[in-house]
Each structure stands twice: as structure tokens, then as C-alpha cells.
Amino acid sequence: MKIVIIGGTGLIGSKTADRLRKQGHEVIAAAPNTGVNTITGEGLAEALAGASVVIDLANSPSFEDKAVLEFFETSGRNLLAAEKTAGVKHHIALSIVGVDRIPDSGYMRAKVAQEKIVRGAGIPYTIVHSTQFMEFLSGIAQSGTIGDTVHLSPAYVQPIASDDVADNMAAVATAEPINGILEISGPERVRLNKLVARYLKAMGDARKVEADPEARYFGAKLNDGSLVSDNNPRLGHITFEQWFAKAGQPK
């Protein structure tokens, strides 16, 4: 069948596209750099013609509160309206575990708004809630760095490798819509500060990591339940050590 991946040239999109093509599906990797823009509408109708499934992996170029909200609302409305016209049978959106538990974060509020648009569009859907990607560990460390010290919350996280995310997205794309939320997470639950300390040590990075319960995670204060899944998630199989051995080492 024809499957369109919005954001199909990014980290998750490219890996998901590869998996689906190997299964014999026609996959369109749609992104502004391939002539498909969900904000302006450019190329949308042409890309969606004859599509059965759409996977929305689009992400905002700006994380500023107002800009990110406008992006997800505009992109979501434009995309779902075009899908309705094209007769798409299954809309899949990738979102975040804990998205409705961190209202201090403008990004999380924007993702909640996106999900609301999906649920109200009248197209069968599956919303996939994922925990943080292991590939984000460098950015998380940088976000908490002050001088030579990284200040991070000791709240629990359960990071997942992008390969496990792509496996799940490909499986959802070839399954029936559930008209609800499916959660996916990594195999190991660990405190954020301890995980980043492991990552930096493995990278040979001399920065020290300090557990700080008041430290903000991209603007939001965390607790032990903020970013982990207790909703019977599908667990990935790639551990931190396995991921680091394959993808995390210094280039």
C-alpha cells in the first residue's frame, strides 16, 4: 500500500521508510526539502493522492512557546484536511509519553493541541506516545550545562533507541487503527542524572553531573512519573550499552 511519512527524511522517518519499503510498500518521504510543506500546503494533495496511511513525524523548527503551538496546530489542520480529501484510512501521529503531565512546557502543550486535532478530525487514527530517544542525550546534557557541571533532575526516564521507535512505527503503519494511544518505551528505567552521567563518561566528557530536583527539563520541573510509561507500553529491546556501542560513540 502507499504510505506517506511527513517528516520522512528525519531520524525516525528515514528509518521507518526503510523498514516499510523492505516490506514492499510504496513510501513517500515527505518534507519541505522534498517539496511537501504542511504549513503552506505545498505538494500535500499530490503526495497524499492514493495514500492509505499517513505517519506524521513533523517537528517544529522553533521551540519557542507561541511558534511551536502555531506550527503543530497549522500543520495538523492542513494535513488532516488534505487526508480527508484524499480518503486516507489511517493517520498515525508520534507524540510523547507524559505529554499531558508537563503543562509547564510549551512544547508539550503544543503536542497536546496536535493530539486534540487528530482526535477530532474524523479519520481513524493511532497516536504513539514514545519516551525520549537515546539520541537526545547529548542535547539533554547540553541543556543542563552551567560551566563544567550538568544540572539535571533525578526523575526517572526510560529512553528508547530510534531503531526501536522505527520498528514500532512500521508495525503500527501496517496494523489497524486503534483510535487511541499506544505507548512505547525503552527497556531500562533509570534516573535522568545517572543516565546522562553514564553517557558523558562513555563519551570521555569530563563534565560532572549534579542531581538537582529543581533543575528544569526544557522549561519543566519533573517528578518520577513525568516521563515514564505505566500504561502497559511496548518495550524496545535495545539497551543503552547496545545503543552506545552502535550509534553513540564519538565520531
Side-chain angles (χ1 to χ4, degrees):
M1 60 183 165
K2 180 177 177 179
I3 300 170
V4 176
I5 304 177
I6 304 297
T9 59
L11 173 67
I12 305 300
S14 57
K15 291 184 176 189
T16 304
D18 182 58
R19 285 155 171 75
L20 290 167
R21 287 188 180 117
K22 285 178 178 175
Q23 294 176 25
H25 300 290
E26 177 189 357
V27 180
I28 304 296
N33 61 5
T34 68
V36 182
N37 191 313
T38 57
I39 298 298
T40 65
E42 176 193 1
L44 258 185
E46 293 81 0
L48 294 177
S52 299
V53 177
V54 171
I55 304 173
D56 185 7
L57 305 174
N59 204 2
S60 174
S62 169
F63 281 21
E64 187 274 324
D65 286 4
K66 185 170 183 288
V68 73
L69 179 63
E70 288 179 352
F71 175 88
F72 281 118
E73 288 188 331
T74 302
S75 176
R77 290 189 180 112
N78 288 346
L79 177 58
L80 285 154
E83 287 179 36
K84 203 155 196 178
T85 299
V88 169
K89 302 292 191 298
H90 188 184
H91 177 91
I92 302 162
L94 180 61
S95 191
I96 305 164
V97 165
V99 69
D100 54 351
R101 298 195 290 264
I102 312 178
D104 290 348
S105 165
Y107 188 87
M108 296 294 199
R109 292 195 301 271
K111 293 296 285 184
V112 168
Q114 178 194 30
E115 291 185 20
K116 183 178 179 181
I117 292 168
V118 170
R119 287 192 297 270
I123 297 171
Y125 70 90
T126 302
I127 296 172
V128 179
H129 278 185
S130 173
T131 52
Q132 287 61 45
F133 306 157
M134 291 184 192
E135 285 79 1
F136 290 171
L137 286 172
S138 176
I140 292 170
Q142 190 58 40
S143 73
T145 296
I146 303 172
D148 294 326
T149 304
V150 184
H151 298 261
L152 290 174
S153 168
Y156 280 112
V157 292
Q158 200 161 341
I160 186 169
S162 61
D163 281 326
D164 279 336
V165 178
D167 285 345
N168 276 285
M169 297 306 292
V172 171
T174 55
E176 292 298 314
I178 66 172
N179 295 315
I181 294 169
L182 169 70
E183 295 197 350
I184 62 174
S185 60
E188 180 184 12
R189 186 170 293 197
V190 61
R191 295 197 179 277
L192 179 62
N193 62 302
K194 291 186 179 296
L195 178 65
V196 172
R198 277 163 65 187
Y199 172 73
L200 293 179
K201 182 179 180 181
M203 288 290 290
D205 190 316
R207 281 178 288 175
K208 299 265 190 294
V209 180
E210 182 176 305
D212 180 357
E214 298 302 316
R216 299 278 165 157
Y217 178 83
F218 298 103
K221 186 176 176 181
L222 303 179
N223 60 49
D224 279 350
S226 297
L227 294 174
V228 294
S229 174
D230 290 312
N231 189 27
N232 192 30
R234 291 185 185 176
L235 294 180
H237 68 276
I238 300 171
T239 66
F240 169 78
E241 284 76 18
Q242 290 169 332
W243 167 78
F244 188 84
K246 181 179 178 182
Q249 298 183 55
K251 299 294 189 286

